[in-house]
Amino acid sequence: MTVQHARKESDSRRRWIGGVVALAALVGLAVWRPLARTDDAVHEFEGPTMGATFSVRVDEDLSAEERERVRAVIDERLDRVNRLMSTYDPGSEISRFNGHESTEPFAVSPEVLEVLAEAREVSERSDGAFDVTVAPLVDAWGFGPRDRTGPIPDEESLVALLQLVGYEGLELDLEAGTVSKSNPGMTVDLSAITQGYGADAVASGLSDLGLTSFLVDVGGEIRAVGARRNGRPWRVGIERPDGLGEVWGTVDLADEGIATSGDYRNYFELDGVRYAHIIDPRTGQPIHGRGASVSVLHTSASLADAWATALCVLGPVDGYELARGEGIAALFITLVDGRLEFRVTPAMEGRVAESTTGR
């Protein structure tokens, strides 16, 4: 019995739901401050974060001092999200909440409470296809902080673990700023929403500096603000979900976010069966690798992130019907008999352009 891990880049298994990649070569005329003109190039800021990487492109004139301040804001916002919400940091707020084996209220930061409230909204509207209390299952399948060393969970183990899963078991008190568990053993994994939230947090910080034209990419989840200097929207590429790393098509963004969830990057194979890192919280099973992705457009990158995961769990049939009913702008790409098929919801019509060279 052999296990093959696919594309195990450093820290990639912490969570890579890739699929959206920013396209560069941007020029224009807008300025941040009239006296701060330096050059017409797009300023790029990159680095590691949340087990993946981030990239920020600012299409405005920045002095050296302003570039330093931009970098400081990016680092501060991403570091704070990581310190609060990373399950890989035993000292993070969410890790301490997970270790709080009690039903007594646990005080959390406004950011964590905000993310939990957004997650609950998606959980309720997706009938549990998205659920941050999925952490015990994520760990059991080896996609959490600790590598899986034993056999895959059997049915009896999954039944027991499912007793600890259920978003209804988290009680949020927005006024008091606390979270309570109905079961002391419940734990939370926010990885399916935090990269989108990180992109939103960075975007908010840069807007506070007065910037009006930039693109933030955190682990493949993207938030765009404003247009490029030439007046055109930011354009990003959507990756093919067949593991070839090629661009399937493009979408133009303006003051909105996009997130993609797929089964084609982070997975393991066992006895010829591929198990993706996305866990269905209703069954306890990973979605089986089928070459599929879902991209969601939303004014909030964190909600786009969560919805992309929920719709990926539901699949191209049930997920499409839910997205259409909810008015969600979504693109479903599925590998069928060696060929990629795609479908867009009414809210996404006219927003994506398939690449003729990537077919």
Side-chain angles (χ1 to χ4, degrees), residues 18-33:
V20 187
V21 290
L23 302 179
L26 309 170
V27 294
L29 300 173
V31 296
W32 180 18
R33 293 182 180 178

Side-chain angles (χ1 to χ4, degrees), residues 76 78-86 89 91-93:
E76 187 276 330
L78 291 177
D79 287 348
R80 179 162 176 79
V81 173
N82 206 55
R83 290 197 312 272
L84 292 176
M85 306 181 196
S86 172
D89 178 1
S92 72
E93 187 168 276

Side-chain angles (χ1 to χ4, degrees), residues 193-214:
I193 191 172
T194 50
Q195 289 180 344
Y197 183 82
D200 285 334
V202 170
S204 175
L206 297 185
S207 293
D208 288 345
L209 287 180
L211 295 175
T212 59
S213 176
F214 54 87

